[in-house]
Amino acid sequence: MSSEVEDALKRIQHMKDVHGTIIINAEGTPVKTTLDDSTTLQYAALIHQLTATAKGTIREMDPQNDLTFLRIRSKKHEIMVSPEKGFMLIVVQNITEEK
Amino acid sequence: MADKPVDAKGPEKDSDNKEDIKPKSKESTRPESKASSSSKTDEEKKTAPRVKSAKSKKDGKKTGGKGNTKSKPAEPKEESTEKDGGKGGQDSMIPLFISSKSQEIFQCVADEHVTEDNPHKLIPKDAIIQDMRERAAVSDFHPVKQLILDYPADEILLIYDADFKYGQNFVLVSSDEEKQRILNPVVEQAEDGSPTGEEGEAVEEIDPVVYQYVPPEPKEWVSLGSEKEIEESSWKETEQKIRITIRRARREFGGALSFSDRNADDAKDGYIECVPFEDKSFSLKIMELDKDVQAVSTYTDQGSQTVWKHPCNKYTQYAPRELTEEEQKNLLSSETLYNFLDRVTPRFELALQQNDIMDVFRDDWKELGNEDDTFGSKSDNHLKEYQSFTDLQFSRDKVLTCIAWHPSIKGIIAVSCAEKMTYDERVDNSSRIIMTQSLILIWSFSDPIHPQVRALTKPEDSFCFKFNPTDPNIIAGGCINGQIVLWDISKYVDRLKNTQRGKQSKKNAMLNVRYGRGREKPGFEDDSSDKTPVVRYCASAAIESGHRNAVADIQWLPDHMEVNRFGLMVENRNLQSCQLLTASVDGTIGIWDTRPSKSQSQTADDGKEDNPLGVATTFKHLDLTWKPIIKIHMSRLEGSGDYGPVRVSFQERQGDRHLLEKMQKEGSAGKSSIDRKDSNMGGGFGIRSGSAKEKRQLEGATTKFFVGTEDGELIYADLKLEKDPDSGKLVPPRADFVKSFHDRAINTLQRSPFFKDIVLVVGGWNFSVWKEGRESNPLLISAAASKQFTCGFWSPTRPAVFYLGTAEGNIEVWDLLDRTHEASLSQNISASEITNVYPWHLSHKQQLLAVSDNVGTLHILEVPWTLRNLTHGELTSVTSYFDREDKRLEYQEQRESVHQENKRRLDAEEAAKKIAQPPEPSTEEVDNKMRTLWLEYLEDEKKFLLDLGLVEEKEEPLPDV
């Protein structure tokens, strides 16, 4: 099973401009990462909070609804987050912009 | 006696305060009432035993009272009481004659114990009483005996009355309050204060006192007369109440009474009617009312207390939660995680693909503006004449050989002039002394008539010169006779900066604001300001070690690097450009260092280090002894002789510090000490360099360079000296390759300001664009044009654009993205040949193109917006264009090598075949072979014809065979 997880991650990682992927558990603890430790921890802690807020927002508006995917566009990166029960996958994509 | 006080009062009244007048006027009524009251008591005592009816008694008393007041013994007392109660101060002053005997007794001898200035004398009461007892009536105090006995305090004040104001030689103060008042005068004190104050001032003048602030202290309340006002406005009961005593005999009390009726009219007073009437005395109206109000601020005292928290150091440390490897492993291999990923990954793939396909956040509007401006503005597509400079005396009809913009001061441009002579003419004239001077003229936009500075070259013409990029006051030039010359124009910097002269054209308003106003000092312009100063060169190279032929190209090496004696590029931490690169047609390339060499530095250091730039002797240490640190002979690859280099181009560029920074970053850990040492040594231009050992090699910088020759060849060579295997000496290596694509001397060899490895080469009738490292062919080579290209320059702001000057006097603008087969713009500038073109990016609003021709005119053109503004994505387009061309060349090279390979292989095969082929067969064999073939052919033909049915088979073969 572990190798299949690896494969799935590898598939994402090898897509264009992907900077890194992180899997964190429900508590925000990193499970698997392709980034370095300090960056991973930072992403894990901050994105976990943000996602919790976003999730709260969606649920507040409609208790039947739920957050499935969160994309954050910054000048340098696009951070994609998908929270599901128990885990959260974070993918950071670099932005290549024409001058 | 009774008269006396009245008399005494008389003179006093004048000197007295006005306040005192009022009470006195009131007095007039008062003594009477008092007298009556006091007399009443007396009367009553006397009349006590008598019984009188209320009515009669009243009447009688009035008359009786009056009569009694005249009794003598009551008089003094009355006087005293009057004085006590009513008049206070003045009435208590009793004039008293004190004989000289008494004066002696009481030690108050006039003009001895008491004087006019100090008239007060306090005498104990007991002493007076004693005196009165002893001397009885003889005592001077006898008339006031009662007064003294009644006196409340222990000491009585005697005042010496020298002027007999009160009629006697002394005045006795009968009331204690008055005594206190006299002894401790308040008002008088203030009045007295002024003379003492004057005295104080006099003292102060002698002895200045430092004043100190003394906070005011609360003092005892002192009466200033306000209590009198209060007393006046207050109401007091002055009249004594009438007391009536009615007596009745005891026997008349409780007796039997008998009442009987009678007529009211019977008796005279049998009926008394009390008729109400209006009492006029009570019909007063309040006309005026004195009221006093005083505002008193209310004070409150309040307090609050905050709780004091004790400051305390605290810290918290936390560690991020992390999973153990075991847990991680478990999780990674768990079904849930796999399912999660399975669900989630499609979303990510979708999103990632979306981003890959297109940037949804791209702002199309932002790019719209750029493109739009290029349309429909044809008028803005041309180079506009901005200014032109000709010096009638020095530049007219001369060839302008080189242009250079001042690196730091805007609007300053320098141009060098040379005689317009062909080689033959020059040879003819070589024996004569050329009378005209050859100059470098420095022009300012503010004055198109007179150049700001003329830099005098040798009698020989200068073909090239450059401003030092780090110190623009230094100009290096190369002469036609092979000498390298240095100028120092630092003396004239102010002149260059202070370009305003009043006769400004409107066009130059921008420059004026920058340099003119504010710096100009009216009245400081001396007469010589209109005369153009001439600067002599301050150093020239040693004749024997310089070039032996005209110096065609001179360049300052970028300030971040320098070349050492081994041809290696090393870092230059001073960031001062101090090395020159020269190319001369004598076949050599030289590198020169402007800093004094080690042996010279000791002598050169004296007194120069403190002001190395201020004087024209900046390079005195170099003059006539200057030698290049490296001289490379560009010897031909084939045959003998040298190439004649006219242009050189290194990859390193001024201002590009990334290599140095990279090195600093790497080296900062271990070699900071060296940095410090270097920086200590740096600072001045003329400071000698640190020894080569201390300088690290500039990593990543290539020592290879392009050279353009006068025969139109492009050479790629290496500066790094190699050890000659035979002699063991260090010799420059041979050129890597030589390509000849141009038919005349190369006049431009320039790297693109955007790409380090792209080189523009102009020479003869065509130009080419080369990529460093692609040596087989240029990326682009133009078709031969109908006229010669004489110069070229990359646009400083657009990577795809470069300017070319032609022999016809045209300026061509080539835009590689627009078209590569012809110029996008061609514009005639001059009637004669263009010798140089040099665009300069002044500001983002203005870009100027300096164009010189060979009749001595320097044209300044304004570059239109479309040619200076970087269009969107131009850099990437140009990059990809060059990449494409590079790939094409690569492919071409591959094909070429494949072809060559093929050819070689075919040749080899053929050769092999030839070798393998048996010896030539004999003619007989050949004939046989031919015959069999012929027969075979006939057979086939026959068969074919039979099949077609064209011939019928004959039964019999031909009989005659």
Side-chain angles (χ1 to χ4, degrees), chain A residues 1-2 4-6 8-9 11-12 15-16 18 23 25 27 29-32 37 41 68-69 71 73 78 80-84 87-91 93 97-99, chain B residues 320-323 327-329 331-338 340-356 359-362 872-873 875-876:
Chain A
M1 200 63 77
S2 174
E4 282 152 338
V5 169
E6 295 268 344
L9 281 179
R11 204 163 69 233
I12 291 174
M15 289 184 76
K16 202 186 169 194
V18 172
I23 302 176
N25 69 4
E27 285 85 47
T29 318
V31 177
K32 176 86 185 159
D37 273 2
L41 285 170
T68 57
F69 199 55
R71 291 172 72 167
R73 183 77 165 200
E78 175 156 331
M80 302 167 191
V81 189
S82 187
E84 284 274 327
F87 293 104
M88 198 185 291
L89 178 63
I90 303 168
V91 174
Q93 188 184 19
E97 209 164 338
E98 273 189 38
K99 230 185 179 183
Chain B
R321 270 177 297 175
E322 274 175 342
L323 295 174
E327 283 172 323
Q328 234 167 9
K329 222 177 210 173
L331 275 174
L332 283 174
S333 54
S334 67
E335 184 82 26
T336 49
L337 182 61
Y338 176 71
F340 159 74
L341 274 178
D342 212 30
R343 276 196 309 276
V344 155
T345 39
R347 297 174 200 164
F348 282 93
E349 277 165 6
L350 184 70
L352 289 167
Q353 269 169 10
Q354 274 175 4
N355 282 345
D356 194 23
D359 181 9
V360 287
F361 294 97
R362 204 176 79 158
H872 179 74
L875 195 61
T876 42

Side-chain angles (χ1 to χ4, degrees), chain B residues 198-216:
Chain B
E198 274 164 25
E199 275 170 31
E201 272 171 27
V203 173
E204 274 166 22
E205 274 171 23
I206 301 157
D207 180 36
V209 178
V210 179
Y211 290 102
Q212 269 187 320
Y213 172 71
V214 182

Side-chain angles (χ1 to χ4, degrees), chain B residues 747-761:
Chain B
N747 53 53
T748 303
L749 183 69
Q750 198 199 11
R751 280 167 202 269
S752 162
F754 294 88
F755 309 99
K756 258 184 168 183
D757 51 351
I758 300 293
V759 187
L760 172 71
V761 184

